[in-house]
Amino acid sequence: KIGECLTSVINQDFEEMELIVVDNGSQDHTSEVIREYQKRDHRIILERLEKNIAPSGARNHALKKARGIYVHFCDGDDLAAEHAYQTLYETTVKNEADVVTGNYMRRYPNQNNTIRPYTHYIGRTGLERCFEANNLALWNKIYKKKFLDENGLVFDSSMRYQEDILFHCQMLQCSPNIDYTDENVYIYTEPVGVEDTDPEVVGARYACSRCVKDGMKLLQKIFGQPLTENLMLWQRMFCHMFAWNFECSWKKIVDAKESEEAFYEMQKTLISIAQNNKNVLDWSENWMANEFI
């Protein structure tokens, strides 16, 4: 998979870039594959880590090494869409944006690697699009490196789940200049089994208390203090994230003790946010109450 990913990046029609590949403590032939690609393309920089430090640690490591003006995060089992970097770069430069977001497609391994459009964002501004459901990830965006550095934006290395969404939310709190493109700029590979109809297969990936705890940590960090700007957008994001942790993680946990532990973590978080950031849980409007319930 790493070979397919590297091929999609080095074949971009955007030549002036460095490609920092972090081998996060792999135990297979990943580094050998990367070194073979290095022989073909001098822009590839291999960072071999002896110990796995989770996705957050690997991304932080790459950020420290990055010398470019803009940064894109690409997971090793995914693909950069054709012309993606040129499109993102041109949009960024045209409007002096700190962040540019685009649409993305999904690849389905269980369906002969079929690739289909997945998102169609409708927000009128880049900011609105960055609050839409399914647009909380990193990889369909590029970021101005100076903006990340000036705001001290890094990944929380204590989190194994949802650390990318925390990064996204913290970025939004720094009031970036955001622009967008309607083009598909990324191809996300659906984990094998996720598109199956068996709910046990679908839920297994996130069915653990650790995922819920990380999700609640995210909500505490973002909503633990009163928010005053873009309140309706933040309200919708809170509803979406709390509902996702409830439906896609907690409800899938099989072990009774683990389920109870995760439930009380959600309860504790909800009470804390209700006390410290009442605006987020303002149910005076019907849409808010209905969406949360």
Side-chain angles (χ1 to χ4, degrees):
K1 289 183 178 180
I2 185 64
E4 290 181 310
C5 176
L6 291 174
T7 297
S8 75
V9 174
I10 63 177
N11 285 346
Q12 293 287 311
D13 50 0
F14 189 87
E15 296 185 0
E16 295 184 22
M17 64 179 176
E18 60 178 5
L19 176 51
I20 301 173
V21 187
V22 181
D23 181 349
N24 197 8
S26 68
Q27 301 298 314
D28 53 18
H29 302 293
T30 296
S31 286
E32 295 175 20
V33 174
I34 299 169
R35 289 192 180 97
E36 285 299 314
Y37 272 82
Q38 275 186 303
K39 296 176 183 178
R40 296 156 46 186
D41 197 311
H42 69 279
R43 297 173 298 176
I44 296 176
I45 303 168
L46 171 60
E47 292 292 321
R48 175 79 170 94
L49 305 180
E50 294 302 321
K51 182 180 178 181
N52 186 292
I53 53 175
S56 53
R59 294 190 185 111
N60 285 336
H61 184 87
L63 274 176
K64 289 180 181 179
K65 297 289 182 178
R67 297 169 298 168
I69 300 174
Y70 304 99
V71 175
H72 174 249
F73 299 99
C74 187
D75 289 349
D77 55 352
D78 295 338
L79 307 172
E82 192 175 5
H83 309 304
Y85 291 171
Q86 189 66 35
T87 299
L88 290 167
Y89 173 75
E90 289 177 354
T91 307
T92 306
V93 172
K94 180 180 178 181
N95 297 300
E96 299 182 350
D98 300 310
V99 182
V100 173
T101 181
N103 284 287
Y104 65 91
M105 299 178 282
R106 291 204 172 199
R107 179 170 64 163
Y108 299 88
N110 286 5
Q111 301 174 21
N112 297 318
N113 283 322
T114 299
I115 296 174
R116 293 196 294 269
Y118 185 77
T119 62
H120 179 65
Y121 299 121
I122 60 174
R124 294 170 296 176
T125 66
L127 178 65
E128 290 176 355
R129 292 195 178 203
C130 278
F131 275 93
E132 289 187 50
N134 298 317
N135 200 18
L136 308 182
L138 308 169
W139 20 253
N140 61 326
K141 304 170 182 68
I142 62 169
Y143 304 87
K144 186 176 289 185
K145 180 68 161 53
K146 183 179 179 181
F147 175 81
L148 300 182
D149 292 341
E150 289 179 345
N151 289 283
L153 288 167
V154 294
F155 296 88
D156 188 330
S157 58
S158 70
M159 296 174 64
R160 182 163 291 274
Y161 298 91
Q162 305 180 63
E163 82 292 334
D164 53 341
I165 301 176
L166 175 60
F167 182 93
H168 177 83
C169 292
Q170 290 175 327
M171 176 272 296
L172 290 175
Q173 289 185 320
C174 295
S175 302
N177 178 24
I178 307 175
D179 205 351
Y180 68 88
T181 173
D182 288 321
E183 297 297 319
N184 286 303
V185 297
Y186 197 77
I187 301 171
Y188 172 80
T189 301
E190 198 72 79
V192 175
V194 169
E195 69 267 39
D196 291 342
T197 56
D198 186 346
E200 291 186 5
V201 174
V202 175
R205 188 181 182 196
Y206 302 109
C208 63
S209 60
R210 175 65 185 272
C211 183
V212 175
K213 288 179 179 179
D214 281 352
M216 295 306 103
K217 182 176 182 179
L218 182 161
L219 294 178
Q220 287 276 24
K221 279 179 170 285
I222 299 302
F223 298 102
Q225 301 296 324
L227 297 171
T228 57
E229 297 181 351
N230 305 309
L231 188 55
M232 185 172 292
L233 294 174
W234 284 112
Q235 286 175 330
R236 290 187 183 275
M237 178 178 280
F238 176 86
C239 283
H240 172 74
M241 287 308 304
F242 195 89
W244 185 92
N245 279 277
F246 180 80
E247 294 287 342
C248 301
S249 184
W250 178 75
K251 286 180 72 173
K252 308 296 184 183
I253 298 175
V254 176
D255 182 80
K257 184 176 181 180
E258 191 174 6
S259 176
E260 183 178 21
E261 181 182 346
F263 179 85
Y264 284 117
E265 195 70 28
M266 289 190 294
Q267 184 184 64
K268 182 176 67 176
T269 298
L270 192 58
I271 293 172
S272 174
I273 293 176
Q275 292 172 337
N276 297 314
N277 199 346
K278 294 181 175 61
N279 286 339
V280 175
L281 300 180
D282 177 11
W283 296 335
S284 58
E285 298 184 36
N286 288 336
W287 75 264
M288 186 67 181
N290 292 335
E291 187 167 348
F292 183 80
I293 290 170

